[in-house]
Amino acid sequence: MSRRVELTRRGWSLIGAAGGLAVGSYLLGAVELLALAVVAVVVVAGGAGWLAFGSSVDLAMTRRVRPPRLQVGAEGRIDLIVENRAERATPLLTATDWFDEGRRAARFLVPPLAPGATARAAYRIPTRRRGRYQVGPLVVRASDPFGLTRRSLAEVEETDVLVRPRIHEIVAPVAVGSRVSADADAAARRSVVSDLGDEFLTLRDYELGDDLRRVHWRSTARTGELMIRQDEARWRSRAAIVLDVHPEGHDFESFELAVEATASVVARLVRLQRRVEVITSAGTVLGTGGDPRHDVLDQLATVAADPDDRLATVLEHLRSHRRVDLVVAVLGRVGADVTRALGALAGIDAIAVLTQPVALTTTSSLVVVDASARPFPDVWNQALSTRFQASGRSRRSHPQWPAARASSPPSPSPR
C-alpha cells in the first residue's frame, strides 16, 4: 500500500483553527496565539510522520459472502477476517467495506492484534432486489493517537455478489411418467428389469402427478410406500420454460413475478433431476437447469426486458421438438398469435403462467395458471392439484386400467 497520509475531519478542523490563530495573532499582535497555531501544526505533522514511517503492519484480509448464492428476501451475510502477520502488535485500526454501489458502508474498529492473531466481523447485506452487485473495496486504515491523520494499510478489491430471484415452494409440474424424484435414492440410478419385462432406469418414490400405471407393485409391497418405475426414454426427455421478456407485455411488478415464477419452476424440476432449458421470448437460451457452468438461475438474476419479440415462433419451434415433453410458458400481455401457438402444442404437456390478464382457459392439453391477481404459488398449486385429480379420475374410468393393474403380480403378504 502507498504511504500517502491524509487528514481526517478532526485534522482539517485543527489546521483551520491554527490558521485562525495565526490571523488573530497578526491582527492583535498576540505572540501567544501564534505559538498555539505552531503547536497545532506540529501535532498534525507529527501524527502524519508517525503514520508514514512508524506504523508498518502486515495484514492478511479476507471477505466471504454467505451463502455464496443469495436469494431475494433471504438473509445474506458478509464475513470479514483480518489477520496480523507481522512480528509486533498492530495499532487500533478501522475497517470500512463499501456496498450498495458505494452509497453505504460497514465500518468496524479492529482492536490491537498480537502477532498471528485474527479479528472477525460480519454484517448483513440487503437482498431486496435481484441482480449483480459489487461489494467493496474493503479498506483497513490506521490513524495517529489523536485521530488527526490516517493512512490505508491494506485493501481487498470488489467482490461480485449475485442475488437470485425468489423461489417459491410449488408442486411438481404434471408430465406423465417423465419426472424423476429428487431423493438421494433416485440419484443412484441403476438398470432394473420390471415384472412386465421392460427395461427401466430406476425406482423412485411416488410424487403428486405420477401416472399410477407406472407403480412397481412388488417394491411398493416391500417398502410400504408407492414406488414408480422410471424408464430410460422418459429420463432423456426435456422440459422447456419460455419466459416472456417483451417490455410491452409487462410492468415492473409483473416482470419480476414472471422471473420468480420461472426460477421456481426451474428449481422444482432440477430437484426432480429433470433436464430443463429456459428460453426467452427473444429466442435467447438462458441456460440449462442444474448445469453449474451455465446455471440458469444465475442468468435469471440479471435477465432484463428485450424488445425483440419472437414468442410465437419460439413456441412453434418447441412443438416440432421431439425431445421436449413439457412446456411452461410464463407470459405477460400476449396477442392472438401466441394463444394460437399455445393451443397448437398437441402431444406436449403445456402450462401457461399468466402475470397479466389474458383470455386463456384450461383445456385437455393446456393448464392455465392465472397469477395476475393472486399469489403465484397458491394458484399454481391449486391448478396443478386440480389437474392431477381430474387426470386420476379419468384413469380410474379408463377401460384398460384394471387390465394394466392385473398384469402386475400379486403383492406378497407382509411378514
Side-chain angles (χ1 to χ4, degrees):
M1 295 295 296
S2 171
R3 289 187 175 271
R4 186 174 64 88
V5 177
E6 58 184 15
L7 295 178
T8 64
R9 183 178 300 177
R10 184 183 302 176
W12 282 113
S13 299
L14 187 58
I15 289 295
L21 290 173
V23 172
S25 173
Y26 175 77
L27 295 177
L28 301 176
V31 180
E32 294 82 359
L33 295 180
L34 180 60
L36 289 176
V38 172
V39 169
V41 172
V42 170
V43 170
V44 173
W50 180 81
L51 283 179
F53 304 103
S55 62
S56 178
V57 297
D58 186 7
L59 300 175
M61 300 191 303
T62 306
R63 180 196 297 114
R64 296 176 182 172
V65 182
R66 295 188 179 182
R69 291 290 189 272
L70 303 179
Q71 180 180 315
V72 171
E75 289 190 353
R77 192 177 78 172
I78 304 293
D79 291 336
L80 306 177
I81 303 173
V82 179
E83 180 185 0
N84 180 19
R85 298 189 300 188
E87 297 181 354
R88 62 178 181 177
T90 64
L92 181 67
L93 305 176
T94 303
T96 304
D97 201 20
W98 297 91
F99 63 97
D100 196 11
E101 298 180 353
R103 290 189 290 266
R104 291 191 288 174
R107 294 182 174 86
F108 306 92
L109 288 177
V110 182
L113 299 176
T118 300
R120 299 175 181 270
Y123 65 93
R124 301 292 180 184
I125 186 170
T127 57
R128 293 186 298 271
R129 295 182 59 181
R130 64 181 178 90
R132 187 182 300 275
Y133 303 94
Q134 281 191 339
V135 176
L138 168 63
V139 180
V140 173
R141 294 185 175 94
S143 62
D144 63 83
F146 300 103
L148 303 175
T149 58
R150 63 186 178 188
R151 181 170 74 89
S152 298
L153 301 178
E155 182 174 323
V156 176
E157 298 298 328
E158 295 88 351
T159 299
D160 282 341
V161 175
L162 199 66
V163 180
R164 290 173 162 183
R166 191 192 316 270
I167 295 177
H168 302 279
E169 284 297 328
I170 59 175
V171 299
V174 176
V176 176
S178 63
R179 298 179 298 123
V180 179
S181 173
D183 293 344
D185 292 339
R189 300 185 294 273
R190 58 193 182 280
S191 179
V192 184
V193 180
S194 72
D195 300 319
L196 302 178
D198 300 327
E199 290 287 337
F200 63 92
L201 189 65
T202 188
L203 289 173
R204 59 178 176 83
D205 292 338
Y206 170 86
E207 292 196 19
L208 180 65
D210 280 325
D211 187 351
L212 294 178
R213 291 173 293 183
R214 305 200 62 80
V215 174
H216 191 258
W217 297 105
R218 177 175 296 178
S219 299
T220 298
R222 184 174 62 253
T223 62
E225 301 288 342
L226 281 176
M227 303 297 294
I228 299 296
R229 294 180 293 114
Q230 175 66 53
D231 63 65
E232 186 172 3
R234 289 294 189 179
W235 170 269
R236 296 181 184 277
S237 63
R238 291 196 305 174
I241 303 177
V242 181
L243 173 61
D244 182 8
V245 295
H246 194 258
E248 294 184 0
H250 291 283
D251 53 29
F252 176 80
E253 289 76 13
S254 69
F255 188 84
E256 293 303 310
L257 173 60
V259 174
E260 289 184 4
T262 302
S264 301
V265 177
V266 169
R268 192 66 178 92
L269 290 173
V270 169
R271 284 168 54 191
L272 297 174
Q273 299 182 6
R274 285 297 307 275
R275 299 173 61 187
V276 54
E277 190 173 61
V278 177
I279 311 168
T280 70
S281 57
T284 303
V285 178
L286 294 184
T288 303
D291 185 352
R293 297 168 301 174
H294 309 286
D295 197 324
V296 68
L297 293 179
D298 288 351
Q299 298 297 322
L300 288 173
T302 57
V303 67
D306 192 328
D308 187 8
D309 186 13
R310 293 188 289 170
L311 181 55
T313 304
V314 171
L315 292 173
E316 291 172 359
H317 173 73
L318 292 175
R319 181 183 58 182
S320 60
H321 203 306
R322 297 180 179 179
R323 306 301 290 179
V324 173
D325 67 348
L326 172 65
V327 174
V328 180
V330 185
L331 308 175
R333 288 182 291 268
V334 295
D337 56 340
V338 175
T339 58
R340 286 194 299 267
L342 282 172
L345 292 174
I348 300 178
D349 292 318
I351 302 173
V353 180
L354 308 180
T355 62
Q356 294 281 358
V358 178
L360 273 178
T361 57
T362 297
T363 64
S364 58
S365 60
L366 176 66
V367 177
V368 176
V369 179
D370 189 356
S372 60
R374 294 175 54 196
F376 162 71
D378 294 345
V379 293
W380 172 279
N381 293 341
Q382 180 181 358
L384 270 293
S385 299
T386 302
R387 181 56 173 263
F388 167 70
Q389 293 169 1
S391 62
R393 287 193 297 268
S394 66
R395 286 173 191 147
R396 285 195 296 270
S397 63
H398 196 283
Q400 294 182 356
W401 165 245
R405 182 171 182 176
S407 63
S408 299
S411 303
S413 301
R415 297 181 180 179

